[in-house]
Amino acid sequence: MASEKIAIVATCNLNQWAMDFTGNLERIAESVARARALGARYRIGPELEVTGYGCEDHFLEPDTFLHSWEVLAELVKRGCSDNFLLDVGMPVMHHEVAYNCRVFALNRKIIFIRPKMVLADDGNYRESRWFRPWRAGRLEQHRLPEVIVSLDHSETCPIGEAILQCLDCRLASETCEELFTLDAPHIEYFLHGVDIISNGSGSHHSLRKLHRRIELLQSATRKGGGIYLYANQIGCDGGRLYYDGCALICLNGSVVAQAEQFTLQHEIEVIVAALDIGDVVSYRSAMASRGLQSSNRGSVFEISVKIALCLHKERFA
């Protein structure tokens, strides 16, 4: 008898607004509630979803970072991370340097902060005005603010680049621009046996940009095998850009779920897919070259996460 591991994962479009901490909080909480109701134990949201992407020079103000932690603390107090892997995008100040981060929480504890390693600095983007890139392969301890310490009594958590080893699968994160780079982090992650890559993005609309995103996601998962979740903002967050949503879920080169690209119907759209991790294993094991390259990789940092993201269904082989 064999066991099928069915990962139920969620991503979303959110219409976030710059510096609307109260509204952004409510939309994040509602997206988590919808993902949970659909059976998911993990949800990825857009880049900088706590503050809104287009805060510009507000990212130079310490209060922006404080209020971001206050929003995360409220999400934790509401139970958004109870038996659920919560993954939110927000700015984090580490050793007095500002980073654009993904912050992971589980069972009311902050378990990992993953800073962005490649910043967007062309076209309409000027991220290096406000943030600094994290150096790949580096993992440190981050001292948590009092608003978080008072909740979970943990004073520090890991910050840097690492793979999350869940009870039944492996997960890693990249952020927006990293997907578009020549040496994208997901290449190394897939070669280290990561099953699920998540990407929280703040990507505005331009002609054929959606085609490029889909092409990149399909290429990444077709070459390396795996699951890729893509989240995005939708709407105009107070600046001149329009974010066109279109959250995506890909498996082994195929798009299996896609949210709307343009809509005035709703501020929150959550898509969920139930995907068999065995399909990833079978796909990869059939590629001898992938196995050869994977077996020759160096070590990476791993963080043990005590949650199962999959349903386990017994079947006769």
Side-chain angles (χ1 to χ4, degrees):
M1 192 178 331
S3 176
E4 291 180 339
K5 295 193 296 185
I6 309 299
I8 304 179
V9 290
T11 182
C12 61
N13 296 334
L14 295 183
N15 185 17
Q16 304 296 73
W17 290 85
M19 302 300 287
D20 179 17
F21 291 100
T22 301
N24 293 346
L25 163 66
E26 297 302 330
R27 284 182 286 272
I28 294 169
E30 176 61 22
S31 70
V32 171
R34 294 187 190 183
R36 193 191 294 270
L38 292 168
R41 288 189 176 180
Y42 172 68
R43 182 228 67 143
I44 172 76
E47 184 176 10
L48 296 169
E49 60 187 309
V50 170
T51 57
Y53 183 84
C55 294
E56 300 186 352
D57 280 3
H58 287 294
F59 287 126
L60 302 177
E61 301 168 2
D63 279 358
T64 302
F65 296 81
L66 172 62
H67 296 325
S68 296
W69 283 111
E70 290 172 340
V71 168
L72 182 56
E74 179 62 24
L75 290 167
V76 169
K77 284 192 286 188
R78 291 188 186 187
C80 290
S81 68
D82 291 357
N83 199 31
F84 190 93
L85 185 56
L86 179 65
D87 173 1
V88 297
M90 58 180 268
V92 173
M93 188 78 71
H94 177 67
H95 294 169
E96 299 179 357
V97 178
Y99 296 99
N100 175 349
C101 296
R102 304 302 308 178
V103 180
F104 291 80
L106 174 65
N107 291 328
R108 310 202 177 202
K109 288 185 178 294
I110 309 304
I111 61 170
F112 178 50
I113 301 172
R114 201 304 202 158
K116 192 173 184 178
M117 299 188 297
V118 181
L119 302 180
D121 270 323
D122 50 15
N124 290 301
Y125 296 101
R126 296 292 181 272
E127 289 183 0
S128 63
R129 177 179 174 88
W130 310 293
F131 303 110
R132 296 296 171 263
W134 186 266
R135 179 167 53 82
R138 176 174 150 216
L139 191 69
E140 300 178 358
Q141 288 295 308
H142 176 74
R143 184 160 294 279
L144 295 167
E146 181 58 34
V147 68
I148 297 296
V149 174
S150 63
L151 288 177
D152 71 6
H153 308 295
S154 298
E155 295 185 352
T156 63
C157 76
I159 181 171
E161 186 186 18
I163 291 169
L164 300 183
Q165 177 62 66
C166 301
L167 295 177
D168 50 11
C169 63
R170 289 160 69 80
L171 183 146
S173 175
E174 59 183 9
T175 301
C176 198
E177 181 72 10
E178 293 172 353
L179 168 66
F180 294 82
T181 60
L182 185 62
D183 187 18
H186 66 253
I187 298 171
E188 193 71 14
Y189 299 153
F190 278 152
L191 286 170
H192 277 94
V194 169
D195 304 295
I196 302 168
I197 303 284
S198 60
N199 185 322
S201 185
S203 186
H204 70 283
H205 169 70
S206 61
L207 290 176
R208 298 200 50 85
K209 194 174 184 183
L210 174 60
H211 174 79
R212 188 179 176 201
R213 290 183 210 134
I214 293 175
E215 193 175 54
L216 286 168
L217 265 62
Q218 288 181 315
S219 174
T221 57
R222 183 180 295 119
K223 285 197 301 183
I227 298 165
Y228 201 110
L229 311 179
Y230 178 88
N232 198 14
Q233 284 199 182
I234 193 165
C236 177
D237 74 346
R240 296 174 298 161
L241 301 180
Y242 180 86
Y243 302 93
D244 60 343
C246 206
L248 293 157
I249 302 176
C250 283
L251 168 68
N252 296 344
S254 298
V255 175
V256 296
Q258 181 173 328
E260 293 186 66
Q261 185 180 18
F262 305 107
T263 179
L264 298 175
Q265 297 297 316
H266 37 248
E267 294 187 311
I268 304 163
E269 183 178 7
V270 176
I271 58 172
V272 170
L275 304 171
D276 190 348
I277 296 295
D279 289 340
V280 175
V281 175
S282 297
Y283 188 90
R284 288 175 174 172
S285 63
M287 293 187 290
S289 58
R290 185 261 172 199
L292 178 62
Q293 290 186 321
S294 179
S295 65
N296 289 323
R297 311 314 283 185
S299 62
V300 294
F301 290 110
E302 296 186 10
I303 296 172
S304 178
V305 181
K306 296 186 182 304
I307 187 172
L309 300 185
C310 301
L311 296 176
H312 293 257
K313 184 171 68 173
E314 298 298 327
R315 61 179 174 82
F316 289 98

